[in-house]
Amino acid sequence: SAAVPDASGDAAIADLAIGFELAARDLYDAAIAAGASDDLWHVLREQHESYAQRVSGIVGTSANTPSATLFDSLSAAFSAAEPVAAAMALENTLAATHTEWLASVTNRNVAIAMASIVALESRHAAVLVAVLGERDHADSGTDLDRAVAHVLGQSSATAPRSGTPGT
């Protein structure tokens, strides 16, 4: 995962967030160029570009400089035949990084935008966990609960079942 740069001040934090979102967009472009053809890849690409534009519009800065560090650290994994695990790691990294930065934001509108982006990136990661699980178990006929249990490192016998008490 990418190192989290230090930032102080709302404009600096916003610029870093914009750069990370644009790098995510470019990473999804790399996955698409490498053959990832599911609609999911296009949706994720568009959403990250929208996140960058949203934050940019709030702070009044340009949204045209992706984080080269983030892009370079993950571009090979996104250009691979199966980039789902890399995308899941990216989404988790983005959610965690933005959450860390959010603690330092003082502008209410920037904070609201970043908090909503964190929530959506967490959902992206959850969807990618499901996709990864489904692909890992596509030939075995297992259900999504077992696939998620596999991703979490649980045996299918001990995995919680949907609809059972405590889940």
Side-chain angles (χ1 to χ4, degrees):
S1 70
V4 178
D6 289 328
S8 61
D10 291 348
I13 293 168
D15 284 344
L16 288 169
I18 291 165
F20 271 38
E21 293 302 324
L22 293 174
R25 175 205 60 197
D26 293 350
L27 288 164
Y28 285 111
D29 278 342
I32 293 164
S37 59
D38 294 341
D39 287 341
L40 174 64
W41 300 104
H42 296 277
V43 169
L44 292 172
R45 183 235 180 265
E46 294 301 318
Q47 288 184 349
H48 285 287
E49 183 173 59
S50 294
Y51 302 158
Q53 291 171 350
R54 180 176 180 194
V55 174
S56 172
I58 292 169
V59 296
T61 62
S62 177
N64 62 9
T65 307
S67 168
T69 302
L70 180 60
F71 181 84
D72 292 346
S73 70
L74 294 172
S75 62
F78 271 81
S79 298
E82 189 59 55
V84 177
M88 185 177 64
L90 170 68
E91 296 297 341
N92 282 323
T93 297
L94 291 172
T97 301
H98 289 355
T99 298
E100 184 177 320
W101 290 335
L102 189 56
S104 299
V105 172
T106 58
N107 179 296
R108 182 178 188 274
N109 292 330
V110 172
I112 290 169
M114 287 183 68
S116 68
I117 291 167
V118 166
L120 292 170
E121 287 170 339
S122 296
R123 289 179 183 171
H124 290 172
V127 167
L128 289 161
V129 165
V131 169
L132 184 62
E134 288 174 359
R135 289 187 181 167
D136 282 351
H137 295 286
D139 296 329
S140 65
T142 60
D143 61 17
L144 183 57
D145 288 333
R146 290 187 183 147
V148 171
H150 170 75
V151 172
L152 297 175
Q154 301 171 332
S155 74
S156 59
T158 61
R161 302 289 304 171
S162 296
T164 58
T167 61

